[in-house]
Amino acid sequence: MSDVLDASPYDALLLLSFGGPEGPDDVVPFLENVTRGRGIPTERLKEVGQHYFLFGGVSPINDQNRALLDALRKDFAEHGLDLPVYWGNRNWAPYLTDTLREMVADGRRRILVLATSAYASYSGCRQYRENLADSLAALEAEGLELPKIDKLRHYFNHEGFVEPMVDGVLQSLADLPEDVRAEAHIAFSTHSIPTASADTSGPVETHGEGGAYVEQHLEVAQLIADAVRERTGIDHPWQLVYQSRSGAPHIPWLEPDICDHLEERQAAGAPAVVIAPIGFVSDHMEVLYDLDTEARAKAEELGLPMRRSATVGDDPRFAAAVRDLVLERAAVQRGEDVTPCALGTLGASHHLCPVGCCPARAPRPAAAGADSPYA
């Protein structure tokens, strides 16, 4: 990579996230956005929204995105990368379409997108691309000049994403009582998804047996476990587990669930557990409720010492990783040779999602991929 921080041909970076309510009155409208088209009654949404009402109707994700924005802008400025950073959400303000409209008004024509999801899956990648296509269609209907949009590759195995999580696990282990620390079990947790969706995640050649979604999470878990062993001299037992299951009970989802897993580990004699939420960029609602509330209550019920390690959040190393990913993609677009940063055995992910990657049950246009209608 050249020492000159050249982001051309790109003229802006868009932080694209899920969004979340910022007060009690926002909860049901937010959930209506998330579940649009599924015909879920308002009363059911109020029941689902209890997780948010427990925290005053406020999801932490928006503040965490603001902190990440600040970290990115600070890192870019300190390293001489002249690239403005914008922020748009899929399901709450600032809405993606509004942000893209603002970017077009500001003269941005080549946009890179950083999604707050590190792994391949329909909900973690293609659905973001579908939302981009929807927003571009809206701008096109308004007669606006459409920007060309590319999405940064999956960054699950980038050093700047992995290393902060290694430190988080080490800190959690150190925080356990000394008499249980050495034999503590590590539960690497991520969002459960339907097994059918997992099996078709990633490029076609990775489909089956959990697809790229499971494969990538196992890679990250192994990287962290190996780093912990190298730095402590202790080979902690570990397992990939899942949380935040939703949907109809008869549809198979990835298992084991974190609370079931805690029961199994306690029954098997584990003296303590560290839960490492490797599937999440920041401590948003799934982390605060499903881990810090439900899983913690289960651990206390079992008398099992438990610590939850930190997510990456706005760690400066993650901001530096985003800078690296931007420069990498820009160099690729200019036709230059690039050696990407990718730990482990899987290598760097594709820059352009291929046809058949993370397909939807009902096909919809998706931007920033080989099948994009917006070349």
Side-chain angles (χ1 to χ4, degrees):
M1 196 79 67
S2 169
D3 290 334
V4 178
L5 301 190
D6 183 5
S8 65
Y10 300 107
D11 55 19
L13 176 69
L14 168 62
L15 174 65
L16 177 56
S17 194
F18 192 81
E22 300 203 73
D25 293 341
D26 297 342
V27 173
V28 171
F30 162 73
L31 292 174
E32 288 174 340
N33 289 340
V34 173
T35 61
R36 184 178 291 115
R38 302 184 201 172
I40 299 177
T42 299
E43 290 306 312
R44 174 58 182 151
L45 294 179
K46 289 180 180 178
E47 293 175 16
V48 173
Q50 289 306 312
H51 296 181
Y52 292 97
F53 292 127
L54 287 174
F55 295 89
V58 178
S59 168
I61 193 170
N62 283 342
D63 278 345
Q64 289 162 4
N65 281 325
R66 293 182 183 102
L68 180 55
L69 274 176
D70 290 343
L72 292 173
R73 289 166 176 161
K74 180 175 185 288
D75 178 273
F76 288 8
E78 289 178 348
H79 291 86
L81 177 57
D82 185 15
L83 191 72
V85 186
Y86 295 75
W87 169 35
N89 288 326
R90 292 171 46 199
N91 299 297
W92 201 250
Y95 287 103
L96 172 59
T97 302
D98 295 337
T99 300
L100 284 178
R101 188 182 295 111
E102 176 189 356
M103 297 176 82
V104 169
D106 289 347
R108 312 304 176 192
R109 295 295 179 265
R110 292 297 301 272
I111 298 170
L112 265 177
V113 173
L114 166 68
T116 54
S117 176
Y119 302 86
S121 70
Y122 170 74
S123 57
C125 183
R126 186 175 178 89
Q127 194 168 20
Y128 282 86
R129 294 175 49 225
E130 290 176 352
N131 294 142
L132 285 166
D134 291 342
S135 293
L136 288 172
L139 297 188
E140 188 174 40
E142 296 172 13
L144 298 178
E145 181 180 353
L146 298 186
K148 178 172 173 51
I149 294 179
D150 291 319
K151 179 177 175 290
L152 289 174
R153 66 175 173 89
H154 302 301
Y155 46 85
F156 65 94
N157 57 358
H158 195 289
E159 182 178 18
F161 184 68
V162 174
E163 279 298 315
M165 293 191 291
V166 172
D167 287 351
V169 171
L170 289 170
Q171 178 59 51
S172 290
L173 287 167
D175 192 46
L176 283 169
E178 187 174 359
D179 61 334
V180 299
R181 188 180 306 152
E183 296 182 14
H185 174 85
I186 305 174
F188 293 105
S189 187
T190 190
H191 206 300
S192 184
I193 60 175
T195 56
S197 179
D199 290 347
T200 56
S201 58
V204 172
E205 59 269 21
T206 68
H207 290 181
E209 299 298 323
Y213 186 75
V214 172
E215 180 182 51
Q216 291 170 0
H217 280 88
L218 287 172
E219 176 90 325
V220 172
Q222 187 67 66
L223 286 167
I224 296 173
D226 288 347
V228 168
R229 184 186 64 251
E230 291 168 4
R231 298 178 201 186
T232 66
I234 299 172
D235 191 8
H236 289 272
W238 63 269
Q239 186 170 337
L240 179 63
V241 301
Y242 303 93
Q243 62 177 88
S244 312
R245 187 201 194 284
S246 60
H250 68 279
I251 297 176
W253 283 54
L254 293 173
E255 296 178 333
D257 174 77
I258 178 59
C259 288
D260 294 339
H261 181 68
L262 292 176
E263 290 184 346
E264 293 167 0
R265 290 302 88 208
Q266 192 269 345
V273 172
V274 167
I275 301 177
I278 62 173
F280 305 90
V281 171
S282 62
D283 288 6
H284 52 70
M285 188 56 69
E286 280 88 349
V287 176
L288 291 188
Y289 184 79
D290 297 327
L291 298 183
D292 291 354
T293 305
E294 284 197 328
R296 186 172 301 281
K298 174 59 69 174
E300 290 174 356
E301 173 192 322
L302 296 168
L304 184 65
M306 185 272 275
R307 299 292 184 273
R308 196 270 291 174
S309 66
T311 51
V312 173
D314 60 346
D315 189 290
R317 290 168 292 183
F318 182 47
V322 174
R323 169 170 38 90
D324 180 66
L325 291 165
V326 166
L327 297 175
E328 175 192 308
R329 182 58 179 272
V332 167
Q333 288 300 116
R334 296 193 300 267
E336 300 172 10
D337 291 332
V338 177
T339 302
C341 176
L343 304 177
T345 61
L346 296 181
S349 295
H350 48 262
H351 289 291
L352 190 68
C353 291
V355 175
C357 190
C358 305
R361 283 178 292 179
R364 290 177 53 199
D371 56 354
S372 172
Y374 300 101

